[in-house]
Amino acid sequence: MRQTVLVIILFSSALLFAKDYKLSSPDGRLKINITDNGGLQWKITHEDTEVLSPSPIGISNHNMKVKKAVTASINQTIPTPFYKKASITDRCNQLTLKGQPFDVEFRAYDIGAACRLVYNGKKPLEVNGEATRFVFPDDYQAFVPYVNDNRSGDRYCYSFESYYDEQRLSAMFSDSLAITPLAVCLPGGKKAVIMETGVDNYPGMFLKKGAGNTLATEFAPVPLKSEVGGFDRLNLIPTERAKYTARLESQQALPWRIVLVTDNDAQLLTTDIGQLLAPALKLKDTSWIKPGKVAWDWWNNWNLTGVPFRAGINTDTYRYYIDFAKKHNIEYVIIDEGWSGKENLMADLNADINVPAVIEYANSQGVGIILWASWRSLLNDTEHVMQHYASLGVKGFKVDFFDRDDQEVIRSSYELAALAAKHHLLVDYHGLKPSGIQRAYPNVVNFEGVKGLENSKWEPRSGDGPLHDQPRYDCTIPYLRMLPGPMDYTPGAMRNATRANFFGNNNNPMSQGTRVHQLAMYAIFEAPLQMMADSPTSYEQNPECADFIARIPTTFDQTVALGGEMGEWVAIARRKGNVWYIGAMTNWTPRQLKLDLSRLNVSGRKAIVFADGINADRDATDWTSTELTIGQQPLSISLAPGGGWAAIVN
């Protein structure tokens, strides 16, 4: 590992009293101008493009006084074994404004600008939101992920799953919150993306419409009292909140506020900013953390056919899932909801499933078991629960229904991750979006916070097709939702439908788009713990597809963006060892693409290719599989409406 190169240059005494500060990216194209005029503001430009007009930074109820400015250059390589790359490079220029009661750190990367506040007081401090705003110079088009489907009506209780409203900043709904990342379309094909990372002991950031072309910030206040509520009474809903949003400890760093700036959308597919600015690794030993794929029960409604037992949440069904996982070299099986009581994971267990026996059988077959739990049920005697199930051989917990990111929940997510690591347990967080904890605790192997495949189970029709355009969403989230971290989209549907033929069906769900659209997701969507959502029966009826999915790893050594446009199409190549895994997807628009594979150095190598069949526009399950030799010229591929293309290059 290359060590950090840190050069500190003190400003001249004249500059110490200046009101203006400047910072540039290493390539010189991005510039940050900071003004101290009774309050800090930053302005961002990218070459000749004004990205952000002067915009305030700070805490709402505390003024900051700048005393000193320090600059530094950072250039270091960080190993990332549970990521889309084996290592990442942190290369930027930094300016730190020393003051009271906060220091403010600014970083200029080639890909964007970031800033954060660091509380340097000696006593705890209560803060009430931030004065931080993002002011754009014009009324630009944006991709806005609004908060909706609140739990029990609380404004801040939400699963962080949002489709994107594509509208101008002026047309944003003034009464609605939005989550991040949020994209703003700049002139000349550029984009600015607002996001955050490094959220630790602090609430997550919501965005909302401000005056003019401004995005204002809002934060959930600290809960004082809560009650059981939400869907199926699985949530803890605050009934009383404090007047402050966070209580800061001495020397606490607040989250990074980030404005990414790109020349073209494909640059977003490989940026590492969410990982670079996340908290540093907190575990001494990570050798026990094993990423992999999971045979999942809930989406396919435990549907098995041709078996001599009644399928359901019972011992025989899970032995069958385990046998399927072993046969296809799938690392894990999830036992989702229904195995335990809602209030306690040690009591009211389902008599139809002998959980210890299932775990013992799975371990004998080299398959790990992951148990589902709601967040509030796992809070009940957490240490005892984790210790007990780890002693039985359980490999992790899927923790569901957080559905909040106030300070209490963020603190809890770190505490649970640390306790899980103590017992060598993986955790998959649902109802929570990634915020950097996955670098600090890489046993946090996935997050939901995405409108994944589960939504197809209840998707309504509107007019001549489904209400929501899932293929367009699928071609948007690699550019936005994946920026802060992995996502538990749960791909792998074997029942696939064209737009005209799709309908929601809870018991026998299908997907929008083609079969190969689903296969391509395994190369495109980041997930160290990646689900195979359909039933063993469906995969056994489609063995070539199942084997292809099973061969694709869930972490990689290198990632290369082959092209794309937000909401339209995406193509990504990922390498593990000497093998490349390539995926491409389109929205409902069919496409003829040319993929330039020259950067992969695979000319002359053999590839197994899955492509949309000639009739996939009529029957979305139509696909072809061929073997070909990669040439030196760009590879021509065809994508059906809602289609995909996938390859393994050996």
Side-chain angles (χ1 to χ4, degrees), residues 64-213:
M64 177 195 159
K65 297 180 180 179
V66 176
K67 292 187 174 182
K68 184 171 64 172
V70 177
T71 61
S73 294
I74 297 173
N75 191 354
Q76 64 176 333
T77 299
I78 303 168
T80 49
F82 308 106
Y83 187 55
K84 63 186 178 185
K85 301 175 183 177
S87 63
I88 54 178
T89 300
D90 190 2
R91 181 171 176 262
C92 67
N93 292 320
Q94 178 173 290
L95 167 68
T96 302
L97 299 180
K98 300 284 188 177
Q100 289 184 339
F102 294 93
D103 298 337
V104 185
E105 298 177 3
F106 296 88
R107 288 191 179 183
Y109 290 88
D110 292 345
I111 192 66
C115 73
R116 71 172 177 181
L117 286 79
V118 180
Y119 174 55
N120 56 33
K122 295 182 179 180
K123 297 180 179 180
L125 178 71
E126 293 178 355
V127 297
N128 185 21
E130 297 183 15
T132 303
R133 302 286 187 270
F134 302 91
V135 183
F136 289 90
D138 207 343
D139 185 18
Y140 296 133
Q141 186 84 354
F143 285 72
V144 184
Y146 284 111
V147 170
N148 54 64
D149 191 24
N150 295 93
R151 304 297 189 234
S152 296
D154 184 276
R155 179 174 175 83
Y156 306 105
C157 287
Y158 179 56
S159 64
F160 307 96
E161 302 174 19
S162 302
Y163 291 109
Y164 296 93
D165 282 47
E166 298 176 40
Q167 59 187 179
R168 293 196 173 274
L169 294 169
S170 62
M172 287 180 61
F173 306 121
S174 59
D175 62 348
S176 299
L177 298 176
I179 59 175
T180 61
L182 182 154
V184 177
C185 304
L186 304 175
K190 295 182 179 182
K191 283 191 174 65
V193 178
I194 309 300
M195 61 175 288
E196 66 175 345
T197 194
V199 183
D200 184 358
N201 192 33
Y202 195 83
M205 178 177 68
F206 293 98
L207 298 174
K208 61 183 180 181
K209 179 179 171 57
N213 306 313

Side-chain angles (χ1 to χ4, degrees), residues 473-513:
Y473 179 76
D474 296 343
C475 292
T476 304
I477 51 178
Y479 302 94
L480 294 178
R481 165 57 185 83
M482 283 198 322
L483 288 171
M487 57 187 190
D488 200 1
Y489 182 99
T490 69
M494 295 291 105
R495 285 177 295 279
N496 319 105
T498 63
R499 186 176 182 277
N501 295 335
F502 176 88
F503 62 92
N505 186 327
N506 182 74
N507 295 330
N508 287 282
M510 64 185 72
S511 69
Q512 295 186 42

Side-chain angles (χ1 to χ4, degrees), residues 510-530:
M510 64 185 72
S511 69
Q512 295 186 42
T514 71
R515 170 73 55 79
V516 187
H517 187 89
Q518 291 289 308
L519 300 187
M521 291 177 178
Y522 287 89
I524 294 172
F525 291 167
E526 296 169 25
L529 189 72
Q530 180 64 282

